[in-house]
């Protein structure tokens, strides 16, 4: 597998630095709890059409099924927008990422991405930056589908 991105298995992309508003929740399934305050504020501020949404695990990291773990959700926001006090703000540094479209089994998709990346001839994982899950709204779920498509982003650097 010398050129995985040409086979559309993974793509190497550059994300720009992004100013984000974020929220962190800890629980047995904290994703919705982390997402709700961010999404509610983005909607009420009329920023829905411009924001990109990213989530990812934070400390405490997942260990065993059913044990509490942390999840953070953030939305990219333009300069000049004031972040409300119930959310936090940071600048994500951007950089090179291996991108992979997730199936409904997110854990298995992460394993697949990491397996392909471990065989990549040019890039390796860069643990100095956060891995991300981009949530892309699916406004036409068919009843069995998710409300979001997920693209997984693993930070990478040249070997």
């Amino acid at each position: 597998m010398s050129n995985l991105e040409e086979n559309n298995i993974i793509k190497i992309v550059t994300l720009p630095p992004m100013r984000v508003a974020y929220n962190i929740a800890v629980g047995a399934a904290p994703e919705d709890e982390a997402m709700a305050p961010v999404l509610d504020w983005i909607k009420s501020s009329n920023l829905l059409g411009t924001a990109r949404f990213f989530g990812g695990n934070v400390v405490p990291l997942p260990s065993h099924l059913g044990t509490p773990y942390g999840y953070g959700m953030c939305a990219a926001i333009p300069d000049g927008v004031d972040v409300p006090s119930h959310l936090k703000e940071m600048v994500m540094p951007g950089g090179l990422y291996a991108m992979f479209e997730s199936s409904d089994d997110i854990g298995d998709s992460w394993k697949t991405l990491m397996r392909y990346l471990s065989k990549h001839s040019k890039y390796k994982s860069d643990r100095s930056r956060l891995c991300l899950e981009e949530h892309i709204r699916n406004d036409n779920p068919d009843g069995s589908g998710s409300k979001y498509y997920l693209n997984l982003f693993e930070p990478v650097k040249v070997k």
Side-chain angles (χ1 to χ4, degrees):
M1 297 190 159
S2 61
N3 204 341
L4 297 169
E5 60 266 19
E6 284 184 13
N7 296 324
N8 290 325
I9 295 171
I10 63 174
K11 295 178 182 171
I12 304 300
V13 300
T14 301
L15 290 179
M18 289 178 267
R19 178 177 177 242
V20 298
Y22 71 96
N23 184 55
I24 294 174
V26 175
E31 292 82 359
D32 287 341
E33 185 181 344
M35 183 183 290
V38 175
L39 187 56
D40 290 347
W41 174 69
I42 290 293
K43 285 179 182 176
S44 69
S45 298
N46 294 318
L47 295 170
L48 192 56
T50 62
R52 289 179 77 176
F53 295 94
F54 295 93
N57 292 329
V58 296
V59 176
L61 295 176
S63 57
H64 302 331
L65 190 61
T67 59
Y69 62 94
Y71 195 83
M73 176 58 65
C74 64
I77 56 172
D79 289 336
V81 172
D82 291 328
V83 175
S85 61
H86 70 284
L87 300 175
K88 295 180 175 81
E89 178 183 341
M90 71 175 173
V91 174
M92 291 195 319
L96 285 177
Y97 286 83
M99 184 183 83
F100 183 75
E101 187 176 325
S102 182
S103 70
D104 287 341
D105 187 337
I106 300 166
D108 187 56
S109 293
W110 273 112
K111 289 175 187 171
T112 300
L113 169 57
M114 297 309 287
R115 185 173 61 248
Y116 284 124
L117 188 56
S118 72
K119 298 173 185 176
H120 202 285
S121 63
K122 187 175 177 183
Y123 297 99
K124 65 180 180 178
S125 184
D126 177 3
R127 288 296 175 184
S128 69
R129 293 176 288 137
L130 296 172
C131 59
L132 304 168
E133 299 170 349
E134 183 172 25
H135 295 242
I136 302 167
R137 194 165 177 82
N138 175 10
D139 286 329
N140 296 308
D142 62 7
S144 63
S146 172
K147 293 190 310 186
Y148 294 93
Y149 296 108
L150 291 181
N151 284 329
L152 309 181
F153 289 88
E154 175 66 20
V156 296
K157 59 186 175 184
V158 176
K159 285 185 175 179

